[in-house]
């Protein structure tokens, strides 16, 4: 279904804000740069968003929705346990590669930028990251029967994210063509250890 013109313009604004924020951070994104990139005047942006802060919050929220849908959406068709967790990990690596090719991951960039900057944007990011961790913890608990404790599942989730970030760093910064293979091998070993208890 096609978006109405106003909704399509709003989506373009959010996409462009996300692209710029992923590259240079929310603090360095100017309304003029976004407006120019989407073919609007600065005042035209305010027809869709009442302030820069509202635009940034909508950008981060939409970006996180895309992130979750991309990673968890396809995995939900699989049975709980290892197949689903492996799919989540694989899709997370895919996301990292797709977003890095486009300039960087908005979620990672926002996490680095906002970790010591109190305010509504950081509050939103923390809330969404907590929801993400909760969803991943629920999936990780099903890796064993009887299921993992919350603490055991949290360790799996922590290591999973560490492998994703390590793969992105190795591939993007260091140009390591084996990064994904290494990350997948490390994650498979983690799942083997977890299943063995």
């Amino acid at each position: 279904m096609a978006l109405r013109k106003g909704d399509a313009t709003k989506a373009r604004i959010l996409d462009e804000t996300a692209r710029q924020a992923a590259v240079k951070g929310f603090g360095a994104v100017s309304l003029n740069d976004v407006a120019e990139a989407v073919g609007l005047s600065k005042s035209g942006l305010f027809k869709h968003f009442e302030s820069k802060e509202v635009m940034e919050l909508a950008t981060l929220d939409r970006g996180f929705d895309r992130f979750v849908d991309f990673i968890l959406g396809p995995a939900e068709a699989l049975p709980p346990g290892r197949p689903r967790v492996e799919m989540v990990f694989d899709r997370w690596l895919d996301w990292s590669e797709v977003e890095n090719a486009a300039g960087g991951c908005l979620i990672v960039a926002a996490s680095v930028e906002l970790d010591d900057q109190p305010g509504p944007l950081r509050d939103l990011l923390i809330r969404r990251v907590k929801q993400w961790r909760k969803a991943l913890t629920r999936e990780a608990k099903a890796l064993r029967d009887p299921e993992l404790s919350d603490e055991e599942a949290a360790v799996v989730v922590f290591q999973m994210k560490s492998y994703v970030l390590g793969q992105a760093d190795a591939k993007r910064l260091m140009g390591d063509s084996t990064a994904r293979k290494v990350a997948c091998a490390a994650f498979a070993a983690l799942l083997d250890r977890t299943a063995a208890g």
Side-chain angles (χ1 to χ4, degrees):
M1 185 172 132
L3 293 175
R4 291 184 334 217
K5 185 178 178 186
D7 292 336
T9 302
K10 191 171 184 176
R12 281 191 4 256
I13 293 168
L14 294 175
D15 287 344
E16 181 58 28
T17 304
R19 188 191 68 73
Q20 292 191 29
V23 172
K24 57 188 179 182
F26 279 105
V29 174
S30 76
L31 292 174
N32 284 335
D33 289 345
V34 174
E36 185 177 313
V38 297
L40 294 174
S41 65
K42 187 174 170 182
S43 61
L45 291 181
F46 290 112
K47 291 180 182 176
H48 301 278
F49 300 98
E50 62 190 52
S51 69
K52 184 181 182 204
E53 181 178 276
V54 169
M55 184 178 77
E56 290 173 340
L57 289 167
T59 297
L60 184 57
D61 216 23
R62 184 169 188 259
F64 225 107
D65 285 345
R66 285 184 56 240
F67 170 76
V68 172
D69 290 347
F70 184 95
I71 295 169
L72 281 184
E76 289 174 346
L78 296 173
R82 186 165 182 154
R84 189 181 293 182
V85 172
E86 286 175 330
M87 171 69 87
V88 166
F89 184 71
D90 196 51
R91 293 289 294 177
W92 201 348
L93 292 178
D94 289 345
W95 171 268
S96 173
E97 292 176 4
V98 167
E99 292 298 293
N100 284 340
C105 175
L106 176 66
I107 309 305
V108 171
S111 297
V112 171
E113 178 186 7
L114 302 172
D115 66 349
D116 59 355
Q117 295 186 27
L121 203 53
R122 182 176 185 265
D123 293 343
L124 173 62
L125 179 62
I126 289 171
R127 181 173 58 80
R128 294 302 304 262
V129 169
K130 284 181 177 178
Q131 291 169 346
W132 175 240
R133 284 184 181 173
K134 186 175 181 180
L136 291 180
T137 299
R138 183 178 60 246
E139 298 299 342
K141 287 178 81 167
L143 285 169
R144 199 169 64 213
D145 186 17
E147 70 179 22
L148 299 177
S149 68
D150 286 341
E151 294 77 17
E152 291 170 320
V155 169
V156 171
V157 170
F158 185 91
Q159 290 183 58
M160 182 188 307
K161 182 175 182 178
S162 298
Y163 297 151
V164 171
L165 293 176
Q167 184 268 348
D169 176 71
K171 183 166 185 179
R172 186 167 185 196
L173 179 65
M174 304 306 296
D176 183 351
S177 61
T178 68
R180 185 173 184 131
K181 182 179 178 183
V182 171
C184 289
F187 189 61
L190 169 66
L191 295 183
D192 290 345
R193 291 192 305 273
T194 301

